[in-house]
């Protein structure tokens, strides 16, 4: 298969299946945001949301493999997922390059954590702006996500995925901290990458 053919297939996947899955994900987020759903329905919706998220990750990974030999750097992946989920927000980036000799499974887990946090910002924060910082130094990656939304992270996240974020942080031996107030929320994840 030539490079041109691979790029064409990657574009077809991006414009077709990937966008359709993202649309389904947004629809599920809106359903999850409704307060009048009973617990059983919310659990089912949440399970379905995770399934859709995993499918999006798989399709995105295939697109990357088709487009590039090694796939994009974590910083590029974080830009892509942010612009996909928070397209209606003003986005500010400060992203270091993730070390090429670092564990790529770690990069994938970091991307999934960012994806989950951004979904919650999109669905619940009522934010106008999002700031994403990635600092890679002395064997540690510090990821900071901040928004200017309405806060209330703890109360909402107990029902909408904070436990999933915590579990992923534990998988990568990370430390997760957050601050939430009426002027916004900041989440800080620190993980060793060697």
């Amino acid at each position: 298969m030539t490079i041109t053919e691979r790029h064409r297939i990657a574009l077809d996947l991006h414009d077709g299946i990937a966008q359709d899955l993202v649309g389904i994900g947004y629809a599920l987020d809106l359903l999850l945001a409704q307060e009048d759903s009973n617990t059983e329905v919310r659990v089912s919706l949440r399970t379905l949301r995770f399934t859709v998220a995993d499918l999006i990750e798989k399709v995105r990974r295939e697109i990357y493999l088709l487009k590039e030999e090694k796939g994009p750097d974590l910083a590029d992946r974080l830009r892509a997922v942010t612009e996909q989920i928070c397209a209606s927000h003003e986005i500010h980036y400060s992203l270091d390059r993730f070390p090429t000799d670092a564990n790529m499974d770690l990069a994938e887990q970091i991307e999934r954590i960012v994806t989950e946090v951004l979904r919650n910002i999109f669905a619940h924060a009522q934010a106008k702006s999002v700031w994403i910082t990635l600092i890679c130094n002395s064997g540690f990656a510090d990821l900071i996500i901040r928004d200017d939304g309405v806060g209330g992270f703890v109360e909402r996240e107990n029902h909408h995925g904070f436990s999933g974020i915590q579990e992923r942080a534990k998988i990568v031996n990370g430390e997760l901290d957050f601050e939430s107030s009426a002027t916004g929320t900041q989440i800080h994840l620190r993980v060793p990458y060697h």
Side-chain angles (χ1 to χ4, degrees):
M1 186 182 297
T2 67
I3 292 175
T4 302
E5 289 172 329
R6 288 172 59 176
H7 284 195
R8 180 184 57 75
I9 293 170
L11 183 61
D12 288 345
L13 282 172
H14 178 271
D15 292 344
I17 295 172
Q19 294 303 318
D20 291 343
L21 288 171
V22 169
I24 292 170
Y26 287 158
L28 289 170
D29 285 335
L30 292 174
L31 289 172
L32 281 164
Q34 295 178 4
E35 298 296 332
D36 56 350
S37 300
N38 67 46
T39 303
E40 187 176 336
V41 170
R42 295 176 76 81
V43 169
S44 297
L45 286 173
R46 193 66 191 156
T47 301
L48 184 56
R49 186 63 178 94
F50 277 121
T51 301
V52 171
D54 286 340
L55 288 172
I56 291 171
E57 293 300 325
K58 288 176 183 175
V59 172
R60 186 182 299 129
R61 198 175 304 120
E62 292 302 318
I63 291 170
Y64 290 154
L65 290 173
L66 285 166
K67 290 178 71 174
E68 300 185 29
E69 289 289 323
K70 293 184 177 179
D73 176 78
L74 177 61
D76 295 331
R77 290 163 61 177
L78 295 185
R79 284 179 185 273
V81 74
T82 303
E83 289 166 12
Q84 207 170 43
I85 295 173
C86 294
S88 59
H89 295 69
E90 183 177 330
I91 306 168
H92 306 271
Y93 300 102
S94 177
L95 302 172
D96 286 353
R97 288 283 167 188
F98 196 63
T100 55
D101 59 341
N103 185 332
M104 289 301 104
D105 288 338
L106 172 60
E108 184 174 323
Q109 289 296 332
I110 292 173
E111 182 182 359
R112 288 185 177 194
I113 289 170
V114 171
T115 300
E116 187 62 32
V117 171
L118 293 176
R119 281 195 199 113
N120 280 280
I121 290 173
F122 174 82
H124 309 293
Q126 301 175 36
K128 294 181 179 178
S129 300
V130 177
W131 290 261
I132 299 187
T133 302
L134 177 65
I135 302 168
C136 298
N137 189 24
S138 302
F140 287 91
D142 286 280
L143 174 72
I144 302 165
I145 303 174
R146 183 167 62 92
D147 67 60
D148 59 356
V150 296
F153 181 76
V154 179
E155 292 79 4
R156 277 198 301 272
E157 296 302 326
N158 281 335
H159 296 92
H160 296 288
F162 183 52
S163 60
I165 296 169
Q166 287 178 311
E167 287 170 14
R168 289 195 190 279
K170 287 179 183 176
I171 289 171
V172 296
N173 298 314
E175 298 175 10
L176 186 68
D177 295 304
F178 61 87
E179 297 177 7
S180 189
S181 70
T183 58
T185 297
Q186 176 172 297
I187 297 166
H188 180 194
L189 172 69
R190 181 176 174 84
V191 297
Y193 56 72
H194 288 308

